[in-house]
Amino acid sequence: MNFVSLTGIGLLAFIVNGSVSAAESSATAKPRSVDSISQTPLSADWAARLWLQDHGVTPSARIVIGSGVNSDGYKGSGWSTAEHIDLGATIDTGKAVGFDGTLRVVFSDRFGNAINERSTGSYIQNQAFYGQGQNLRFNELSYERLLLGKRLSLKGGFYSMGNDFGGLPYTCNFNNNGQCGHPLGPIYSSGWLDNPTGQWGLRVKWNDPSGWYAQTGIYDVNPTRKQANSGFRVSTKGKTGLFLPVELGYSHGKSGEDYGGTYKVGYYLDTSNADDIGDPTAPRASHRSGSYVQAAQRVWKPEGDTVRGISVFGVATRADAKTGLMRYSWEAGVSWRGVIASREDDVLSLAWNRLDISDRLARHQQLTGKDVQSNEQFVELNYGVQVAPWLVLRPAVQYVARPGAYASRPDSWVFTLQAQATL
């Protein structure tokens, strides 16, 4: 699968669905969210799907294909394509079995190859939907119950803690995983897990009608589940500790009438033992910890009530000084939704990302005569085209400086194209 075939998919969908999409957009009476664009499944009107939904079961299916080519790399240059598929269902247990709650079941599969692995050596993946075993995987089995007028949410089961913590609107308008997904600082410096790798856990969340919320949880840390042969490993064998996140946030103005924003601060403690990154011979540390700050704000819109407009976002993370590979990480970006008035679900996005390698590690590398790491920086500019209600096509140009945080590796231009279909 390459640029030509991906573009062909998009053009075909545009021809078949363009007029339908415009009609649906103008006829939609329900208020639409400003900070996210809802995808309408291709199977939305199929009789089987409607029957299942009437009985409390909403199926889900998604295919993501990310293809690209790089100009330079310490391993060379060339084409790479990564694919991701997930299949699942969200079950309204009140409607299905008479007991209130939401049950989620998801399986996923990943295959293909990555530009950063084959060519550039960067930490930031040019194709976000790559990695974590590259295999068929039991992704999620979780149950959530809302209590006290939907203010209290209890959720437990087997799923990625990153599904609930550290997410931010607008950041998944990108093809790379430095923005699309969760901050890379905690992922590389602790037991933080992101989709599609599951873990056993429990989360408690309090939602206030004013927009404030607070949540915490407890999850097991098991690095073996990311391995290629561990897609269905649900046992606790290989567990190294517990992951304890806490997050406080505020969200306001979700409709087109407002200047919406989302703000979050978080802290995490991972009880796993970890090596001192500046001295591998030192006694292992008894834990890893870190924190993060995230913000997104709509700053301009062309008219009173519209989903179109410009929003900015920023992220900063801080990892454990003794054990964190990436002591700090930074993100900043802007998204312009509806640059063209007649295409209000298209998004033009620009973002910058920087990963700062631990000074302790750099000193150790210098003392031992190794190539010294400093920081890696990454920029992406893209235009996401809502080709059809079920399909987004996103061409992008990326630039990575000091891949892997090594000055000895050549900077690289990367051109990617992502197709994301909701079936």
Side-chain angles (χ1 to χ4, degrees), residues 30 38 88 101 134 169 174-175 199 219 248 296 318 329-331 364 369 376 383 393 403 412 420:
K30 184 172 72 172
S38 298
Q134 288 298 100
F174 296 88
N175 292 355
Q199 58 197 133
Y219 302 86
L248 177 67
R318 181 176 183 272
S329 72
W330 315 88
E331 299 175 41
H364 176 71
E376 174 179 306
Y383 188 78
L393 201 62
S412 182
Q420 187 166 165

Side-chain angles (χ1 to χ4, degrees), residues 118-262:
R118 296 183 68 185
S119 302
T120 66
S122 65
Y123 285 112
I124 300 172
Q125 296 172 191
N126 307 90
Q127 304 123 297
F129 291 85
Y130 176 85
Q132 301 196 47
Q134 288 298 100
N135 57 350
L136 181 63
R137 179 171 293 279
F138 177 45
N139 185 318
E140 178 173 359
L141 176 62
S142 68
Y143 173 76
E144 183 176 13
R145 180 75 183 271
L146 300 178
L147 303 168
L148 303 179
K150 298 185 178 181
R151 293 191 179 192
L152 178 64
S153 168
L154 303 178
K155 180 180 178 181
F158 186 81
Y159 65 99
S160 304
M161 54 80 53
N163 289 358
D164 294 325
F165 291 84
L168 191 66
Y170 310 108
T171 56
C172 256
N173 292 334
F174 296 88
N175 292 355
N176 75 87
N177 80 327
Q179 276 82 39
C180 183
H182 293 81
L184 293 185
I187 292 176
Y188 278 106
S189 303
S190 73
W192 184 296
L193 272 185
D194 205 356
N195 190 291
T197 302
Q199 58 197 133
W200 292 106
L202 174 67
R203 185 218 64 190
V204 179
K205 182 177 183 179
W206 178 263
N207 292 288
D208 189 85
S210 66
W212 288 95
Y213 74 86
Q215 62 177 347
T216 187
I218 181 169
Y219 302 86
D220 73 342
V221 179
N222 192 331
T224 66
R225 294 201 185 110
K226 284 188 175 183
Q227 297 173 356
N229 61 348
S230 301
F232 286 81
R233 176 170 292 182
V234 296
S235 73
T236 58
K237 183 179 180 181
K239 183 171 76 72
T240 60
L242 296 174
F243 196 91
L244 308 167
V246 178
E247 184 176 278
L248 177 67
Y250 175 67
S251 181
H252 69 97
K254 292 289 187 179
S255 73
E257 299 177 350
D258 306 304
Y259 284 84
T262 300

Side-chain angles (χ1 to χ4, degrees), residues 3 66-71 78-80 115 126-127 175 381 394-399 412-418:
F3 273 129
S67 186
V69 62
N70 66 298
S71 64
W79 288 91
S80 295
I115 294 170
N126 307 90
Q127 304 123 297
N175 292 355
L381 173 67
R394 185 182 296 117
V397 57
Q398 304 168 344
Y399 185 79
S412 182
W413 288 96
V414 183
F415 302 90
T416 63
L417 180 64
Q418 184 189 97

Side-chain angles (χ1 to χ4, degrees), residues 70-131:
N70 66 298
S71 64
D72 300 283
Y74 84 110
K75 294 182 181 180
S77 60
W79 288 91
S80 295
T81 299
E83 295 91 2
H84 170 96
I85 299 173
D86 57 57
L87 301 170
T90 300
I91 303 169
D92 181 340
T93 56
K95 185 182 291 187
V97 297
F99 185 79
D100 289 344
T102 302
L103 183 69
R104 297 181 182 88
V105 183
V106 181
F107 294 87
S108 63
D109 195 8
R110 288 185 171 183
F111 45 96
N113 44 64
I115 294 170
N116 64 303
E117 275 197 1
R118 296 183 68 185
S119 302
T120 66
S122 65
Y123 285 112
I124 300 172
Q125 296 172 191
N126 307 90
Q127 304 123 297
F129 291 85
Y130 176 85

Side-chain angles (χ1 to χ4, degrees), residues 318-361:
R318 181 176 183 272
D320 194 279
K322 183 178 288 188
T323 64
L325 170 63
M326 294 174 184
R327 177 63 167 145
Y328 300 100
S329 72
W330 315 88
E331 299 175 41
V334 56
S335 284
W336 185 352
R337 179 173 177 179
V339 178
I340 302 171
S342 61
R343 300 198 55 80
E344 59 184 22
D345 286 340
D346 290 357
V347 183
L348 175 67
S349 299
L350 172 67
W352 162 84
N353 189 293
R354 172 171 167 153
L355 307 175
D356 286 345
I357 300 298
S358 167
D359 288 341
R360 291 173 63 86
L361 175 60

